Amino acid sequence: MSAVDERAVTRSTAKEVVDQASRRRTFAVISHPDAGKSTLTEALALHARVIGQAGAVHGKAGRRGTVSDWMDMEKARGISITSAALQFEYHDAVINLLDTPGHADFSEDTYRVLTAVDAAVMLIDAAKGLEAQTMKLFAVCRHRGIPVLTVVNKWDRPGKDALELMDEISDRTGLTPTPLTWPVGIAGDFRGVLDRSDGTYRRFTRTAGGATIAPEETLSAEAAQDREGAAWQQAVEEVELLAASGQDHEQSLFLDGVTTPVLFASAVSNFGVGALLDTLVGMAPAPAGLSTVDGGTRALTDPFSAFVFKVQAGMDTAHRDRLAFIRICSGVFERGMVVTHAHTGRPFATKYAQHVFGRERESIDVAYPGDVVGLVNAAALGVGDTLYADKPVSFPPLTTFAPEHFAVCRGRDTAKHKQFRRGIEQLDSEGVVQVLRSDRRGDQAPVLAVVGPMQFEVATHRMEHEFGAPVELERLGYNLALRTDEASAPVVSTARGAEVLRRTNGEYVAVFSDKWGLRVFKEKHPDLLLESLVAAEL
Ligand code: G4P
């Protein structure tokens, strides 16, 4: 068969793309560290039976070491800095769970993952409620208009009152919680849930360490009353209160980001995990066409297109490779196809394409809208870049997030200035850090700006080990960055505790050390351009 015939055979029809896209649910879990994201990820994968025993995908403490060991630093810390996507089938659906790095400190990477998902699961620790990092990530979801499902986790442990948690969600996120299930038994005495869709009782039974799927038994309301007595009665009464205040699920309001369906779970015991998968499949949106810069839409059935949402270098020290993670927006991806890199107009051969999750890598031959593909040897690709086949397309740029930490970076070995320059350029293009410069500071002392301080550690480590240019960082006292312009820059730079720097693309960025000082300065100079770098209030 000739190559052309072969392509004709393997090329999928528009119907196939639509069918495949509609099976897909691409989402990420947003949570504060320790809320149980890794545990939930394992439990989800377990439910879909991709792994026989919980603990094989992610790990902490006793499970440490099962995660990525790509970077020495990760090994030392026992955490995963790298992230990608876990794909598994669940009934007829294909679930793409994008991994958000789970460490206490977080970086632009964490935010960027949310540019590639269609929905988010907000995971809350029942005892702690909404925590700082969850709120920051939620702000990105709100900004992007991503529907958010909420899971209250650790209900097996003493925690807050369920109704109180609902108030907290609505007060702090502005979303109206519409519980789909309601706990029977207070936090710490989790017996099961009342399924609000039909009023039945899903009773949970415990398994040792949650290593296998926890059997759930469905009981009628009468049987539940007999079995659980006061605990069931309380659940029934609270559910009546929810209904009276209109906290019922309505699909369009969920998709519009007005409400958030809520489930109660205990990830460690696998309780409520099946319900989450069913809810994702039943309610979360499938991939849809994407808006383009010219105001049009790249439909699912258009030729292949994708954007890079993450670039990772040095994941495999043995191979020194550079992976670019793309989210497919339209058409079919077939490994080996040659696509166009919109930024340079050059062809890009997708010879090596992989699923990457934790340490697992698997070759991908075909992928559809909603899927994530790791492209190997992607030296030319940068975050936000578009790839397409046949019909050119340009997607709006990915949001860059306002950095909150700043440091001057200097080479420790002046003889290595070439390596220094190359490394800084590389880290800038990958988006590991934002690089800001000014004439006053000079090219040898750029300012690195980051969302989370861990990005500094990654940059320092890579400058030394990957580029052979050891550096030292001097932290600056700024904590705010705003967009300004050439006309405003001279005046802005006279503000107390402020400085104006420029990005590599020429944009002017004003940095301030004091929120109140900035406010006073803005009031005094209302004519100057000083605007937020992100529309979302992070
Ligand atoms: P993270 O990825 O969000 O940071 O959280 P992770 O899953 O690592 O969970 C943090 C801790 O919370 C772990 O305990 C985990 O076992 C526990 N946990 C997760 N889900 C539940 C739950 O539903 N109920 C209870 N009671 N605990 C839960 P650890 O002691 O830090 O680690 P480990 O030794 O248990 O793994």
Side-chain angles (χ1 to χ4, degrees):
M1 205 184 326
S2 78
V4 175
D5 291 340
E6 219 169 279
R7 230 175 295 141
V9 174
T10 52
R11 181 171 296 150
S12 304
T13 61
K15 182 176 176 324
E16 190 184 333
V17 176
V18 171
D19 288 350
Q20 289 291 351
S22 69
R23 294 173 65 202
R24 274 148 172 87
R25 298 291 181 275
T26 302
F27 75 104
V29 177
I30 60 171
S31 64
H32 198 79
D34 275 347
K37 186 162 62 73
S38 315
T39 311
L40 180 71
T41 302
E42 282 171 18
L44 287 170
L46 173 73
H47 260 264
R49 295 197 168 81
V50 278
I51 48 173
Q53 279 265 309
V57 175
H58 248 80
K60 275 198 173 180
R63 295 168 276 151
R64 219 164 250 172
T66 54
V67 198
S68 139
D69 61 359
W70 288 311
M71 289 177 78
D72 299 347
M73 215 173 93
E74 290 187 85
K75 249 194 244 168
R77 287 168 165 263
I79 51 154
S80 168
I81 297 168
T82 48
S83 72
L86 174 67
Q87 185 179 65
F88 54 83
E89 295 208 7
Y90 179 67
H91 299 316
D92 283 340
V94 177
I95 310 283
N96 289 313
L97 168 51
L98 273 59
D99 191 24
T100 48
H103 33 78
D105 163 42
F106 72 148
S107 62
E108 286 196 67
D109 276 356
T110 322
Y111 287 135
R112 283 207 206 103
V113 168
L114 297 174
T115 63
V117 298
D118 299 315
V121 169
M122 181 162 81
L123 186 68
I124 304 177
D125 181 326
K128 297 189 178 146
L130 286 162
E131 296 174 87
Q133 187 158 317
T134 318
M135 288 306 297
K136 283 194 171 194
L137 292 166
F138 170 73
V140 180
C141 296
R142 182 172 51 199
H143 174 55
R144 284 209 56 229
I146 306 171
V148 176
L149 275 162
T150 299
V151 173
V152 178
N153 190 32
K154 304 196 187 182
W155 200 257
D156 59 292
R157 282 224 300 238
K160 296 188 180 186
D161 173 67
L163 285 171
E164 198 185 302
L165 275 166
M166 296 308 104
D167 286 345
E168 187 176 333
I169 293 170
S170 82
D171 292 348
R172 297 194 50 204
T173 66
L175 295 176
T176 302
T178 56
L180 304 173
T181 61
W182 194 252
V184 175
I186 57 165
D189 178 27
F190 198 11
R191 305 181 190 190
V193 292
L194 187 163
D195 184 339
R196 290 187 72 205
S197 69
D198 58 9
T200 57
Y201 175 39
R202 296 236 189 110
R203 197 178 79 85
F204 296 137
T205 54
R206 220 165 268 279
T207 57
T212 52
I213 293 173
E216 296 177 5
E217 183 188 9
T218 303
L219 271 67
S220 68
E222 296 72 41
Q225 177 68 51
D226 288 347
R227 183 165 191 121
E228 306 296 356
W232 175 258
Q233 195 51 42
Q234 186 182 344
V236 170
E237 283 164 18
E238 289 177 345
V239 160
E240 281 166 6
L241 282 177
L242 295 173
S245 57
Q247 287 173 260
D248 297 324
H249 174 72
E250 205 183 305
Q251 184 66 8
S252 61
L253 293 178
F254 160 56
L255 294 180
D256 289 346
V258 178
T259 62
T260 178
V262 182
L263 295 165
F264 287 79
S266 166
V268 83
S269 352
N270 280 307
F271 287 173
V273 174
L276 173 59
L277 281 169
D278 292 335
T279 306
L280 279 165
V281 173
M283 295 179 183
L290 215 66
S291 305
T292 57
V293 203
D294 53 15
T297 302
R298 182 80 165 188
L300 292 174
T301 52
D302 275 333
F304 166 83
S305 68
F307 65 85
V308 179
F309 68 94
K310 180 176 173 56
V311 169
Q312 188 92 50
M315 288 169 96
D316 184 342
T317 38
H319 298 102
R320 278 262 160 266
D321 56 359
R322 180 172 145 116
L323 271 166
F325 293 100
I326 55 169
R327 142 107 195 198
I328 299 177
C329 305
S330 64
V332 185
F333 172 86
E334 289 172 28
R335 187 161 61 85
M337 73 197 289
V338 178
V339 298
T340 306
H341 177 210
H343 186 60
T344 56
R346 296 224 176 95
F348 181 87
T350 60
K351 195 169 166 195
Y352 302 103
Q354 299 180 328
H355 276 301
V356 182
F357 195 84
R359 216 161 47 177
E360 305 299 320
R361 288 182 179 206
E362 211 179 279
S363 207
I364 292 181
D365 291 320
V366 181
Y368 297 94
D371 289 346
V372 168
V373 174
L375 296 173
V376 186
N377 292 334
L381 304 186
V383 167
D385 288 0
T386 301
L387 295 174
Y388 64 82
D390 304 338
K391 191 172 130 187
V393 63
S394 181
F395 295 118
L398 294 188
T399 324
T400 49
F401 297 95
E404 292 173 18
H405 305 271
F406 305 83
V408 180
C409 180
R410 293 188 186 87
R412 288 212 309 261
D413 183 349
T414 44
K416 300 276 173 79
H417 68 270
K418 263 193 199 149
Q419 288 90 328
F420 177 83
R421 184 182 296 227
R422 200 167 63 83
I424 293 289
E425 263 172 31
Q426 181 66 29
L427 297 183
D428 193 16
S429 79
E430 276 182 40
V432 172
V433 288
Q434 295 180 29
V435 177
L436 306 173
R437 295 186 175 85
S438 69
D439 290 344
R440 184 170 72 76
R441 293 190 178 275
D443 232 18
Q444 300 306 316
V447 173
L448 308 187
V450 298
V451 171
M454 184 171 288
Q455 288 172 264
F456 284 144
E457 290 184 44
V458 174
T460 309
H461 180 94
R462 289 188 54 192
M463 285 299 286
E464 179 163 354
H465 298 280
E466 199 178 324
F467 302 102
V471 296
E472 59 189 14
L473 298 184
E474 179 203 338
R475 293 289 285 267
L476 300 172
Y478 307 122
N479 48 37
L480 289 160
L482 291 104
R483 189 190 325 279
T484 184
D485 59 11
E486 193 177 356
S488 309
V491 187
V492 174
S493 56
T494 64
R496 204 159 52 86
E499 178 175 347
V500 176
L501 298 150
R502 295 182 74 179
R503 285 207 171 114
T504 310
N505 66 6
E507 277 173 14
Y508 287 81
V509 175
V511 291
F512 284 81
S513 53
D514 165 19
K515 201 160 145 187
W516 307 110
L518 167 65
R519 184 176 287 181
V520 171
F521 182 78
K522 271 173 100 167
E523 276 165 12
K524 256 172 93 186
H525 302 277
D527 48 322
L528 298 178
L529 178 77
L530 274 174
E531 63 182 22
S532 169
L533 282 170
V534 240
E537 279 171 36
L538 299 173

